[in-house]
Amino acid sequence: MLVALADVSKGRRGLALPSTSLVYRSGRATLAIAETEQRPTVLGLIATGRMRPDTGTVTLDGVSRPRDLRRRAALVDAPDVSEPAPNIALAGVVAEELMFAGLPADPIAARRWLDEHGLRHLSRVPIADVEPVDRLRALLELAARRPGVEALVLVSPDRHGAEPSQWWPLAEEFAARGLAVLVIAGRTAAAVVAETVGGTERRRRPRASAVRIRGRRGQVAGHLAGGAR
């Protein structure tokens, strides 16, 4: 699948989201920049077909299909929208997500899932206290289990305090499974990822999941929401 956002914006004079263009596709991890507290979530909602932009277009494989996009793209850990309540234990989050995926969601099923992913020791820990990388991996794995999901849009992983060198490889890992992965983060985190990708490219041929924007490999979407073009 290929999702293209062309000059989308939200709010009067683009206050909620300035004019933004990006592409994310199956088998690739793409990083988009969105600054301020609200814009990453707004961009994530638009990129998954859950919010209509005030300007611009969103297409799925070249056609405007918001309902199909909503079904096929999961919005992961978006503040105030899809993030788990902070006081719920990880086992509870797992059970809820298994239910959304149409799978057995009883405590035994949740514990079995945690065992399979090496997270059983965190079953009673509130999700807000789970280490960022464990939190993100769990939420991405669970979202990927939902029927029909082919894309993961992860919002503001940098807000949890993990280094980009920890969560960007997760994005690449899920992209390597054939999923379309879009990560929306702040400019500082994006600069670190770009530096890492650039250094890697000098040593070896770029992987298919390198940061991409407008079809060019190894570049961060620096002209996206929250900053200059």
Side-chain angles (χ1 to χ4, degrees), residues 100-137:
F100 290 150
L103 298 170
D106 56 86
I108 293 176
R111 287 195 295 270
R112 184 180 299 118
W113 188 94
L114 289 165
D115 282 336
E116 291 172 356
H117 293 85
L119 298 172
R120 178 69 175 272
H121 62 293
L122 300 173
S123 61
R124 297 185 179 182
V125 178
I127 187 69
D129 296 326
V130 173
E131 288 295 320
V133 174
D134 290 333
R135 172 197 177 104
L136 295 173
R137 176 176 289 281

Side-chain angles (χ1 to χ4, degrees), residues 8-60:
V8 298
S9 70
K10 192 69 180 177
R12 187 178 181 184
R13 297 180 181 177
L15 184 61
L17 182 72
S19 181
T20 299
S21 296
L22 65 86
V23 172
Y24 68 100
R25 67 185 72 194
S26 299
R28 302 283 171 86
T30 301
L31 179 63
I33 298 170
E35 299 285 3
T36 78
E37 182 177 352
Q38 182 183 14
R39 288 175 183 172
T41 294
V42 172
L43 180 55
L45 287 167
I46 292 173
T48 56
R50 289 168 171 81
M51 179 182 286
R52 180 180 298 177
D54 291 334
T55 67
T57 60
V58 180
T59 58
L60 171 60

Side-chain angles (χ1 to χ4, degrees), residues 198-219:
T200 300
E201 287 179 341
R202 284 192 291 271
R203 292 192 298 272
R204 59 177 173 82
R205 187 176 180 179
R207 295 174 59 186
S209 55
V211 180
R212 293 174 63 87
I213 184 65
R214 293 188 182 276
R216 293 180 294 177
R217 190 183 301 274
Q219 294 187 2

Side-chain angles (χ1 to χ4, degrees), residues 47-86:
T48 56
R50 289 168 171 81
M51 179 182 286
R52 180 180 298 177
D54 291 334
T55 67
T57 60
V58 180
T59 58
L60 171 60
D61 297 329
V63 181
S64 177
R65 296 151 61 186
R67 181 180 298 179
D68 201 15
L69 180 57
R70 286 194 298 273
R71 180 179 60 84
R72 295 168 64 183
L75 184 65
V76 182
D77 206 25
D80 301 321
V81 176
S82 63
E83 66 178 349

